[in-house]
């Protein structure tokens, strides 16, 4: 191969399938006898959860409609979130009927007013100039970073809490033939550990280098490439690149048949769903279905859906995005039950932030803070809202401004700790996964 062509191949595969140091999996600890997976759904742009979960009672809706003005959804269109022993107090956006069904079956929980925090904050403390607050509030890139890192005292971190969690439980994946962290949403901080990196897989086409199979003339070419990658080098950067490329070739050879196979069970769930996001979840479902073959006991996945930065045209944009989100999440949840992994897989949403309760003048809403993530799975203690929904009052007790910018009452750390504990992290591991968790009480929230 020409040098330039080799580097193009190497860069494409390494960039799309970055691997961490697999040596961490050489632990002598016994593998776990059970299987669990976390699936992070990151909604890029800042999802306006004020229109995802809306007050349904007469007084609450009247206040909502008055303040939200042209962004207010018709009360009759809202999908009631039924509660035992009383009338529903909240309703879902009308484009989320699948999630309403998951709520009714106890497989969907809402966690209220979660956000990036360094320490608990009252309104008075937030307005004080001496109180420590998260770095660069209301900035897309910084808040995405902090949600994924669960470190808000600084705007930079080299690892995400999903990656650090995978690091801590690496001994449970000693028999895994591919990296236990996998992303369909690109290289991402959430799935970056101190010692490991996610494998980034495609949602369509084949996974691997064309012309480098183990059959026919391709086998000769592949053998030559493998010999090149095994040449001893004294340059650390070159050695690291060789390790990444070798690992990527190995993983692609294992995963390509899994990803390109048409599975009748999974395909039935995803029939008619052609969006990129639905195909991301289908690819993840295929990997989970092959969990026994792959040998992993703990897997962390990331999928991404963008365009939630609704400064304009919010009603139409959210209708489209929520319809796409609802169909894909519902299909994925059903697929997990079909393959016997319903109680072993928990999905959850994250986003940059929510948006101002008061609309802007351009057809949408602007950057805010506290948000309401969703948690989905058979292991979820669903049909409930955890935490306290903010008082929907401009300049009210939960508003850090006069725009309806809710000060979080639950930290990302607590939300993450609840999932990490279910995943298998003990108290010692949590101190590394979530170094600021001790600032908040309770440390876990009981939604799973």
């Amino acid at each position: 191969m020409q040098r330039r062509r080799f580097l193009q191949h190497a860069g494409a595969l390494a960039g799309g399938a970055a691997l961490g140091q697999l040596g961490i999996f050489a632990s002598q600890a016994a593998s776990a006898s059970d299987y669990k997976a976390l699936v992070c759904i990151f909604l890029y742009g800042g999802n306006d959860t004020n229109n995802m979960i809306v007050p349904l009672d007469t007084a609450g809706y009247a206040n909502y409609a008055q303040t939200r003005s042209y962004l207010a959804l018709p009360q009759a269109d809202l999908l009631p979130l039924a509660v035992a022993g009383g009338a529903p107090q909240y309703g879902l956006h009308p484009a989320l009927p699948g999630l309403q069904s998951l709520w009714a079956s106890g497989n969907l929980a809402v966690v209220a007013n979660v956000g990036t925090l360094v320490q608990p904050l009252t309104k008075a403390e937030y307005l004080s100039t001496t109180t420590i607050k998260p770095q660069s509030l209301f900035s897309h890139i910084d808040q995405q970073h902090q949600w994924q890192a669960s470190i808000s005292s600084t705007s930079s971190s080299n690892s995400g809490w999903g990656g650090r969690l995978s690091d801590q439980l690496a001994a449970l994946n000693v028999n895994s033939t591919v990296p236990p962290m996998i992303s369909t949403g690109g290289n991402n901080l959430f799935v970056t550990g101190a010692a490991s990196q996610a494998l980034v897989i495609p949602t369509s086409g084949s996974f691997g280098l064309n012309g480098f199979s183990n059959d026919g003339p391709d086998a000769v070419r592949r053998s030559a490439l493998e010999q090149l990658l095994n040449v001893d080098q004294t340059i650390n950067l070159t050695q690291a690149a060789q390790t990444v490329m070798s690992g990527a070739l190995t993983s692609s050879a294992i995963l390509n048949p899994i990803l390109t196979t048409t599975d009748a069970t999974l395909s039935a769930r995803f029939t008619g769903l052609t969006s990129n996001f639905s195909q991301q979840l289908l690819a993840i479902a295929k990997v989970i279905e092959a969990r026994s073959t792959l040998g992993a006991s703990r897997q962390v996945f990331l999928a991404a859906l963008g365009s939630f930065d609704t400064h304009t045209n919010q009603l139409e944009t959210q209708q489209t995005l929520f319809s796409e989100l609802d169909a894909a999440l519902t299909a994925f949840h059903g697929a997990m039950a079909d393959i016997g992994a319903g109680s072993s897989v928990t999905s959850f949403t994250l986003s940059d932030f929510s948006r101002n309760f008061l609309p802007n003048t351009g057809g949408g809403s602007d950057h805010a803070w506290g948000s309401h993530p969703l948690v989905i799975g058979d292991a979820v203690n669903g049909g409930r809202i955890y935490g306290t929904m903010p008082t929907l009052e401009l300049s009210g007790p939960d508003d850090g401004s006069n725009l309806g910018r809710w000060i979080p009452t639950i930290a990302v750390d607590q939300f993450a700790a609840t999932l990490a504990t279910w995943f298998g992290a003990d108290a010692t591991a949590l101190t590394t996964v979530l170094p600021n968790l001790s600032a908040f009480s309770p440390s876990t929230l009981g939604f799973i």
Side-chain angles (χ1 to χ4, degrees), residues 21-41:
Q21 299 300 316
L22 297 183
I24 192 171
F25 301 130
S27 167
Q28 297 302 309
S31 298
S33 59
D34 62 331
Y35 171 86
K36 288 182 179 178
L38 288 172
V39 182
C40 174
I41 312 295

Side-chain angles (χ1 to χ4, degrees), residues 399-422:
D399 188 2
S401 63
N402 60 355
L403 302 172
R405 187 176 276 170
W406 316 131
I407 300 170
T409 48
I410 291 176
V412 176
D413 311 67
Q414 295 166 286
F415 180 80
T418 309
L419 292 164
T421 300
W422 170 80

Side-chain angles (χ1 to χ4, degrees), residues 321-372:
L321 291 172
F322 282 166
S323 295
E324 187 176 336
L325 180 72
D326 184 76
L329 286 178
T330 304
F332 181 76
H333 177 78
M336 293 302 96
D338 292 344
I339 63 174
S343 61
S344 302
V345 179
T346 299
S347 307
F348 57 95
T349 63
L350 304 180
S351 191
D352 317 18
F353 35 62
S354 188
R355 309 187 77 83
N356 291 342
F357 192 49
L358 183 69
N360 62 26
T361 58
S365 55
D366 300 324
H367 303 179
W369 196 358
S371 184
H372 312 320

Side-chain angles (χ1 to χ4, degrees), residues 52 79 92-101 322-323 325-326 374:
M52 186 175 74
L79 305 177
L92 285 176
H93 190 284
L96 300 172
L99 295 187
Q100 182 195 32
S101 296
F322 282 166
S323 295
L325 180 72
D326 184 76
L374 308 175

Side-chain angles (χ1 to χ4, degrees), residues 18 136 167 175 213 247-248 295 323 338 343 346 385 414 417 428 437 440:
S136 304
D167 286 345
N175 295 319
S213 70
S323 295
D338 292 344
S343 61
T346 299
I385 295 176
Q414 295 166 286
T428 301
L437 181 61
F440 304 98

